[in-house]
């Protein structure tokens, strides 16, 4: 499955990589807009297209997933990937890294 979560040209490029019969999830706009999708192309390539509306869930289902994830985090079964840490007074550099797509994982601003 490829994701159009970056939107714009990035999402369009990702859609081009989907093999016939594949799946593509179009959501998000960090690149400035949603991924443009040609319905005829998607049908012709037998691609299953989903958007943000198909991944919504009821509040009780969401809470169940949330509590499971928090319990796993508390048990140290997984941890977030922190890719880079910037001092709070260097927040502009952190924003540049994120906007320039140079950041990997989570970007943290440190007050220490």
């Amino acid at each position: 499955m490829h994701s159009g979560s970056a939107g714009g040209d990035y999402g369009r490029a990702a859609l081009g990589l989907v093999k016939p019969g594949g799946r593509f999830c179009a959501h998000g706009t960090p690149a400035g807009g949603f991924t443009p999708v040609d319905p005829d192309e998607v049908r012709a390539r037998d691609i299953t297209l989903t958007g943000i509306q198909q991944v919504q869930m009821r509040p009780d289902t969401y809470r169940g997933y949330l509590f499971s994830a928090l319990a796993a985090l508390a048990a140290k079964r997984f941890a977030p990937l922190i890719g880079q840490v910037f001092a709070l007074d260097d927040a502009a550099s952190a924003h540049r890294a994120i906007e320039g797509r140079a950041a990997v994982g989570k970007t943290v601003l440190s007050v220490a």
Side-chain angles (χ1 to χ4, degrees):
M1 177 198 287
H2 285 281
S3 173
S5 61
D9 292 338
Y10 297 114
R12 182 73 191 135
L15 179 58
L17 298 173
V18 177
K19 293 181 179 182
R23 295 181 295 162
F24 184 81
C25 185
H27 63 279
T29 61
F34 288 104
T35 300
V37 175
D38 178 355
D40 293 331
E41 174 190 357
V42 169
R43 272 192 298 279
R45 293 174 52 203
D46 192 28
I47 294 172
T48 300
L49 177 68
T50 58
I52 194 70
Q53 67 276 17
Q54 281 90 16
V55 295
Q56 298 297 309
M57 59 188 87
R58 295 186 343 241
D60 58 321
T61 302
Y62 174 78
R63 275 191 298 279
Y65 286 135
L66 173 64
F67 292 143
S68 292
L70 290 174
L73 185 62
K76 299 187 187 288
R77 290 197 303 263
F78 69 87
L81 171 63
I82 298 174
Q84 50 280 318
V85 178
F86 292 87
L88 183 59
D89 58 356
D90 195 23
S93 293
H95 280 273
R96 279 193 296 277
I98 295 168
E99 292 167 3
R101 302 190 64 80
V104 175
K106 299 298 179 186
T107 299
V108 175
L109 293 177
S110 174
V111 294

